[in-house]
Amino acid sequence: MSAFEELVRRYEELAFRTGYLVLRDPGAAEDVAQEAFVKAYYALGRFKPGSPFRPWLVRIVTNEARNARKAAQRRSALAQRYAQDKGNRATARSPESAALGNENRRLLLEALARVSDQDQALLHQRYFLELSEAEMAEALGCRRGTVKSRLSRALQRLKEIVHQHYPDLVATVEEVEEG
């Protein structure tokens, strides 16, 4: 048995309990504990020799559990928004405005396909997945200021493409930038 397997056996209950305290869901706590052990394994190179393993692992599990809780909250909010939007669209939009909205959406996605993959990823994360700049920084492994500048440049490049190839979308892109 490897040394890491021994650590997992020794601390699996602690990891589960830590996850459960944050999430209050046994299944989610189990998933978080497993994910935390995977992250701990890959982060062993950053573990300071001579430091206690237990608090280090608890911090990893706690962070994973918090991230899982935030993700669940985002998914729930997204589902609620989707249900609300679906209801609003069914009652509030005329067929003409729905068709125009669908056409603008299609053209916007077409314009997005013309920017680089890196720009697309930034724009998708911010405007389609609605990640905050802090969440994007964490996901991209960079500082928030870097995210802001990259996002600004990506949006500028998208605007240039829209102005050049999709002039009817200029107002739509400017609304996105303001919002």
Side-chain angles (χ1 to χ4, degrees), residues 15-16 18-19 32-33 36 56-66:
F16 171 81
T18 303
V32 161
W56 184 70
L57 178 65
V58 166
R59 186 173 64 241
I60 293 171
V61 175
T62 300
N63 287 338
E64 279 300 303
R66 286 178 181 156

Side-chain angles (χ1 to χ4, degrees), residues 6-165:
E6 177 59 31
L7 287 172
V8 170
R9 279 189 174 51
R10 184 179 304 168
Y11 294 108
E12 64 188 344
E13 184 180 336
L14 172 71
F16 171 81
R17 286 187 328 202
T18 303
Y20 184 79
L21 288 171
V22 174
L23 299 168
R24 301 283 189 214
D25 176 341
E30 196 173 303
D31 291 345
V32 161
Q34 289 177 4
E35 187 63 32
F37 278 118
V38 170
K39 286 198 174 184
Y41 178 80
Y42 286 109
L44 278 175
R46 294 191 307 263
F47 179 70
K48 295 176 186 167
S51 297
F53 183 78
R54 183 181 161 122
W56 184 70
L57 178 65
V58 166
R59 186 173 64 241
I60 293 171
V61 175
T62 300
N63 287 338
E64 279 300 303
R66 286 178 181 156
N67 290 342
R69 185 177 58 207
K70 287 177 188 174
Q73 289 169 342
R74 278 194 307 269
R75 283 191 299 272
S76 176
L78 180 63
Q80 288 174 354
R81 268 197 317 273
Y82 175 75
Q84 203 172 36
D85 287 349
K86 190 174 182 180
N88 289 344
R89 273 187 255 137
T91 58
R93 293 177 72 184
S94 69
E96 293 83 11
S97 66
L100 182 59
N102 288 339
E103 178 64 9
N104 282 349
R105 191 172 10 267
R106 185 189 69 73
L107 291 173
L108 184 57
L109 290 172
E110 199 175 291
L112 267 169
R114 291 177 174 246
V115 298
S116 72
D117 289 345
Q118 185 178 13
D119 286 351
Q120 284 181 41
L122 287 163
L123 295 166
H124 287 156
Q125 286 180 10
R126 182 69 182 113
Y127 297 106
F128 291 88
L129 301 177
E130 298 179 350
L131 295 182
S132 69
E133 289 170 351
E135 291 169 322
M136 291 175 66
E138 186 175 326
L140 297 170
C142 61
R143 293 178 183 201
R144 188 172 173 195
T146 303
V147 168
K148 286 179 93 158
S149 62
R150 287 180 185 173
L151 189 57
S152 175
R153 287 192 297 269
L155 195 53
Q156 185 58 42
R157 286 188 280 270
L158 176 63
K159 281 174 60 177
E160 290 169 6
I161 288 170
V162 166
H163 279 279
Q164 185 176 6
H165 300 285

